[in-house]
């Protein structure tokens, strides 16, 4: 029997068995969230029409500890715990087909997040190497991380190389990389500073600098490609989240990707809890925590996106700006964006449920 036929026969037997069990019994399938390990299984279960519940491992761990004082954790105990959670009335919501197909957007946004962090580390290396090879350059340009500066350092990775360069070549290099913004004046200033620089002459560091810049350029192209794919997926989803002033495509896509199906959450507070932005409360008798810290459990990507989006929305939207000013007048620190984040989550939750774009509040 050919291999393809055996695989199809095996799949068909499993599929018919699932259909039979579904018609005879009321089945619920539960499993812990295991990332990519459960992705294919989730697709099979959803295609079979079975109500599937994806449980947070932290939730199952705490529930297992509540059932017994013994520190016993085995596969059988975990399976029994998941079954007990499905049988009990815990308000669990089944995993939806919308959330499953949203995994593509989640993969793209997380992949971009990792690439941006990788690029940030390389930029730190560039700053470190320039401090060794040509420390005066930082005071001559608005930022080291500009295409014109990268073009300069990629060809002349050090003060000695710049000082020995031809002024005409240096001028045309800067003018071309900056699209005409920098000309002869800045070229003369950079070469004169390089001639009097206290930077070290280290060929190994110069080689590292040149290679680091090439890696950054490669990451820039990769990130741009990822963002193009994110934009395509967001256009298909028709999410109203990007109509909020200050809500960029990248942060909006990450919020939509991490939350998935908003119908899984009964209220905005549960979205906040899922992001780990809800305050932790500890009270016992006369003891009460004076300052409630954020729990910081759940999706760190969602927490990052909501927190950063809230800062920009507070700048661009008058309603949020007034709200932040009110909280600051009450003594809140400017960097404490938890109140604005809660307000933003409530807004996003209402918009995603209604599928209506953002409408600014008009003064009466």
């Amino acid at each position: 029997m050919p291999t393809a036929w055996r695989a199809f026969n095996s799949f068909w037997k499993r599929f018919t068995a699932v259909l039979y069990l579904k018609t005879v019994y009321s089945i619920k399938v539960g499993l812990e969230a295991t990332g990519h390990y459960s992705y294919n299984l989730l697709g099979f279960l959803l295609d079979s029409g079975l109500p599937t519940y994806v449980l947070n491992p932290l939730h199952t761990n705490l529930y297992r500890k509540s059932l017994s004082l013994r520190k016993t954790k085995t596969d059988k105990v975990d399976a029994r715990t998941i079954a007990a959670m499905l049988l009990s009335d815990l308000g669990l919501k089944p995993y939806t087909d919308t959330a499953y197909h949203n995994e593509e957007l989640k993969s793209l946004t997380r992949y971009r997040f990792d690439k941006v962090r990788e690029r940030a580390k390389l930029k730190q290396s560039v700053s470190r190497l320039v401090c060794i090879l040509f420390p005066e350059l930082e005071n001559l340009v608005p930022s080291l991380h500009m295409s014109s500066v990268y073009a300069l350092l990629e060809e002349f990775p050090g003060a000695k190389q710049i000082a020995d360069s031809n002024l005409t070549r240096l001028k045309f290099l800067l003018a071309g990389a900056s699209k005409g913004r920098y000309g002869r004046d800045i070229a003369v200033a950079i070469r004169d500073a390089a001639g009097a620089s206290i930077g070290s002459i280290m060929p190994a560091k110069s080689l590292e600098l040149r290679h680091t810049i090439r890696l950054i350029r490669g990451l820039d192209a990769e990130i741009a490609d990822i963002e193009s794919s994110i934009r395509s997926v967001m256009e298909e989803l028709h999410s109203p989240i990007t109509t909020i002033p200050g809500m960029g495509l990248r942060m909006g896509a990450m919020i939509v990707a991490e939350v998935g199906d908003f119908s899984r959450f009964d209220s905005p507070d549960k979205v906040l809890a899922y992001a780990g932005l809800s305050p932790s409360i500890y009270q016992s008798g006369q003891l009460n925590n004076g300052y409630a810290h954020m729990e910081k459990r759940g999706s760190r990507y969602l927490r990052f996106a909501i927190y950063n989006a809230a800062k920009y929305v507070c700048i661009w939207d008058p309603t949020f700006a007034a709200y932040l000013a009110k909280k600051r007048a009450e003594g809140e620190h400017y960097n404490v964006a938890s109140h604005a984040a809660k307000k933003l989550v409530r807004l996003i939750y209402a918009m995603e449920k209604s599928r209506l774009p953002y409408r600014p509040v008009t003064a009466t």
Side-chain angles (χ1 to χ4, degrees), residues 82-218:
I82 293 174
M85 293 178 70
L86 294 179
L87 290 172
S88 61
D89 186 16
L90 294 177
L92 300 175
K93 295 294 182 67
Y95 198 79
T96 62
D97 188 66
T98 302
Y100 177 76
H101 290 293
N102 206 51
E103 288 293 330
E104 182 179 1
L105 183 60
K106 183 186 291 186
S107 298
L108 287 170
T109 53
R110 290 189 176 188
Y111 186 44
R112 181 193 171 278
F113 182 85
D114 294 336
K115 287 294 181 181
V116 170
R117 290 185 64 184
E118 184 180 348
R119 184 179 61 181
K121 290 181 180 179
L122 292 175
K123 287 184 176 182
Q124 290 178 356
S125 296
V126 169
S127 300
R128 172 180 57 85
L129 292 169
V130 170
C131 185
I132 296 172
L133 298 170
F134 189 11
E136 295 83 3
L137 179 61
E138 191 171 4
N139 295 325
L140 298 174
V141 293
S143 172
L144 293 177
H145 309 292
M146 303 165 55
S147 58
S148 54
V149 176
Y150 281 177
L152 170 69
L153 295 175
E154 192 172 6
E155 185 165 343
F156 305 109
K160 173 112 176 31
Q161 293 91 327
I162 295 175
D164 296 339
S165 66
N166 181 272
L167 181 59
T168 303
R169 170 59 190 154
L170 190 62
K171 181 186 70 173
F172 279 107
L173 175 66
L174 290 171
S178 65
K179 297 181 179 180
R181 291 180 56 194
Y182 298 140
R184 178 181 175 82
D185 294 341
I186 188 67
V188 170
I190 290 176
R191 198 177 72 161
D192 290 345
S197 175
I198 61 171
S200 301
I201 303 174
M202 302 179 68
K205 296 296 183 184
S206 296
L207 181 66
E208 183 182 352
L209 177 60
R210 182 182 284 119
H211 288 182
T212 303
I213 291 174
R214 290 175 184 172
L215 289 174
I216 292 175
R217 291 187 185 277

Side-chain angles (χ1 to χ4, degrees), residues 262-339:
F262 279 80
S263 63
R264 294 187 301 148
F265 301 92
D266 295 328
S267 66
D269 289 339
K270 292 192 175 182
V271 178
L272 279 169
Y274 179 67
L277 287 170
S278 56
S280 58
I281 301 173
Y282 183 84
Q283 189 272 332
S284 178
Q286 299 297 322
L287 178 63
N288 191 5
N289 57 338
Y291 181 78
H293 296 271
M294 288 188 299
E295 290 180 347
K296 292 189 178 181
R297 290 179 174 178
S299 172
R300 64 187 178 96
Y301 299 98
L302 179 59
R303 185 164 59 249
F304 167 83
I306 292 175
Y307 185 83
N308 282 276
K311 291 193 295 185
Y312 287 101
V313 172
C314 286
I315 295 174
W316 291 98
D317 184 76
T319 303
F320 277 85
Y323 183 77
L324 181 61
K326 174 177 174 291
K327 289 299 178 182
R328 290 190 64 189
E330 294 174 357
E332 297 286 351
H333 193 273
Y334 179 78
N335 288 331
V336 180
S338 57
H339 294 288

Side-chain angles (χ1 to χ4, degrees), residues 1 46 53 83 159 174 191 202 227 253 303 333 359 362:
M1 183 182 293
L46 291 174
Y53 298 79
L174 290 171
R191 198 177 72 161
M202 302 179 68
E227 290 178 351
R303 185 164 59 249
H333 193 273
R359 289 179 296 180
T362 56

Side-chain angles (χ1 to χ4, degrees), residues 339-353:
H339 294 288
K342 292 177 183 178
K343 184 178 178 65
L344 179 61
V345 168
R346 289 194 294 268
L347 173 63
I348 294 173
Y349 183 84
M351 291 173 58
E352 288 291 337
K353 295 281 280 188

